[in-house]
């Protein structure tokens, strides 16, 4: 069955450093992968989408990589700020079909300290 | 950007009552909306896909008679939790994809925290 794994341990980093979050998946090859940000008590907000034929995507201080051989995506925030503190979720279309659907990982909580 | 409005943001009800949650796409049309549930410190779990003008499709293990979904227009989907019990207490979040766009990203509502006493 499909599995999406994100590090459940919170990531604590110092302001100004680069945060790197990992998303691993098993048992299939998704056409794309997405990253979302979720603040406490709020719905997720879309950040980036990367397709299977793309190795890397950037948006301002964010960078996402997609390694279909390793079945892994890395999400980087450079020059991190306390305002970047949130839970970051990766999401993929389901193995079972339903191209419009998204299945989410459990998320990794990032805390950026001044 | 696209906005999804979800109401109410918080509801407290007695066991056995029914609760309706509304999800509206404010500036775009959504033929498909999705309902998720999230328990504290856990992942979003997809409950069902709401399809405008037709029946919703439910994920395995989700009772369709318990969680009634209606998608009567291109901008409104409702989720009714019938005969709610304490175990239904959770954070419910709706999402929608802009039918006019070809990309796959979802726009989420701000969520509804349901507490059943």
């Amino acid at each position: 069955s499909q599995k999406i794994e994100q590090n459940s341990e919170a990531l604590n980093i110092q302001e100004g450093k680069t945060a790197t979050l990992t998303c691993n998946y098993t048992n299939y090859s998704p056409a794309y992968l997405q990253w979302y940000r979720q603040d406490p008590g709020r719905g997720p907000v879309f950040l980036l989408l990367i397709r299977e034929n793309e190795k890397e995507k950037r948006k301002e201080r964010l960078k996402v990589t997609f390694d279909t051989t390793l079945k892994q995506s890395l999400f980087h925030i450079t020059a991190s700020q306390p305002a970047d503190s949130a839970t970051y979720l990766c999401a993929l279309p389901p193995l079972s079909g339903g191209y419009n659907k998204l299945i989410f990982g459990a998320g990794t909580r990032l805390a950026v300290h001044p | 950007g696209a906005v999804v409005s979800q109401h109410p943001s918080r509801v407290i009800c007695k066991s056995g009552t029914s609760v309706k949650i509304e999800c509206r796409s404010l500036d775009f049309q959504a033929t498909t909306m999705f309902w998720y549930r999230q328990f504290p410190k856990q992942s979003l779990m997809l409950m069902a896909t709401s399809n405008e003008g037709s029946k919703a499709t439910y994920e395995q293990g989700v009772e369709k008679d318990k969680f009634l979904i209606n998608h009567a227009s291109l901008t409104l989907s409702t989720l009714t939790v019938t005969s709610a019990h304490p175990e239904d207490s959770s954070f419910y979040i709706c999402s929608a994809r802009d039918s006019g766009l070809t990309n796959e990203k979802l726009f989420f509502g701000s969520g509804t925290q349901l507490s059943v006493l």
Side-chain angles (χ1 to χ4, degrees):
Chain A
S1 62
Q2 175 183 14
K3 224 178 196 181
I4 304 172
E5 294 177 342
Q6 293 186 258
N7 194 340
S8 58
E9 298 278 331
L11 178 63
N12 289 283
I13 65 167
Q14 208 67 32
E15 182 176 8
K17 301 290 186 186
T18 296
T20 298
L21 289 74
T22 305
C23 176
N24 294 298
Y25 57 93
T26 59
N27 294 333
Y28 84 132
S29 300
Y32 60 84
L33 184 148
Q34 301 186 29
W35 284 89
Y36 287 77
R37 168 183 173 143
Q38 186 177 24
D39 290 285
R42 308 290 293 177
V45 174
F46 171 81
L47 296 175
L48 279 168
L49 179 153
I50 187 165
R51 300 191 185 280
E52 61 181 336
N53 60 347
E54 297 174 315
K55 290 274 192 267
E56 181 180 297
K57 204 107 178 246
R58 290 176 187 261
K59 179 183 173 183
E60 298 171 354
R61 293 185 296 111
L62 308 180
K63 186 179 87 171
V64 171
T65 63
F66 196 6
D67 189 325
T68 54
T69 302
L70 289 179
K71 295 189 183 296
Q72 179 182 82
S73 175
L74 298 179
F75 177 79
H76 307 271
I77 306 175
T78 58
S80 60
Q81 304 164 2
D84 296 327
S85 299
T87 297
Y88 292 86
L89 309 167
C90 72
L92 298 89
L95 170 65
S96 56
Y99 185 75
N100 281 324
K101 297 183 188 178
L102 277 184
I103 307 299
F104 283 82
T108 298
R109 191 164 59 86
L110 171 67
V112 181
H113 302 282
Chain B
V3 175
V4 174
S5 175
Q6 185 174 342
H7 292 283
S9 58
R10 182 177 294 273
V11 59
I12 301 172
C13 69
K14 291 182 179 179
S15 186
T17 59
S18 294
V19 174
K20 181 187 277 191
I21 303 169
E22 288 191 351
C23 181
R24 293 180 186 273
S25 56
L26 294 187
D27 50 2
F28 65 97
Q29 294 184 334
T31 53
T32 303
M33 292 186 177
F34 303 94
W35 287 94
Y36 289 84
R37 180 167 58 180
Q38 186 176 36
F39 293 106
K41 298 192 178 180
Q42 292 189 26
S43 179
L44 281 78
M45 298 301 297
L46 180 63
M47 299 175 65
T49 302
S50 172
N51 304 297
E52 187 266 335
S54 64
K55 289 183 181 179
T57 53
Y58 291 80
E59 296 301 304
Q60 193 172 11
V62 178
E63 301 175 56
K64 61 180 182 179
D65 295 330
K66 172 78 172 174
F67 300 100
L68 298 179
I69 291 173
N70 185 278
H71 194 152
S73 77
L74 286 170
T75 59
L76 174 64
S77 175
T78 60
L79 169 69
T80 301
V81 184
T82 62
S83 186
H85 291 285
E87 58 267 28
D88 298 322
S89 298
S90 186
F91 191 54
Y92 292 85
I93 316 175
C94 70
S95 65
R97 182 169 283 122
D98 188 336
S99 303
L101 302 177
T102 56
N103 63 54
E104 297 87 346
K105 69 180 179 185
L106 291 180
F107 300 100
F108 282 84
S110 53
T112 298
Q113 184 63 53
L114 171 63
S115 301
V116 185
L117 304 176

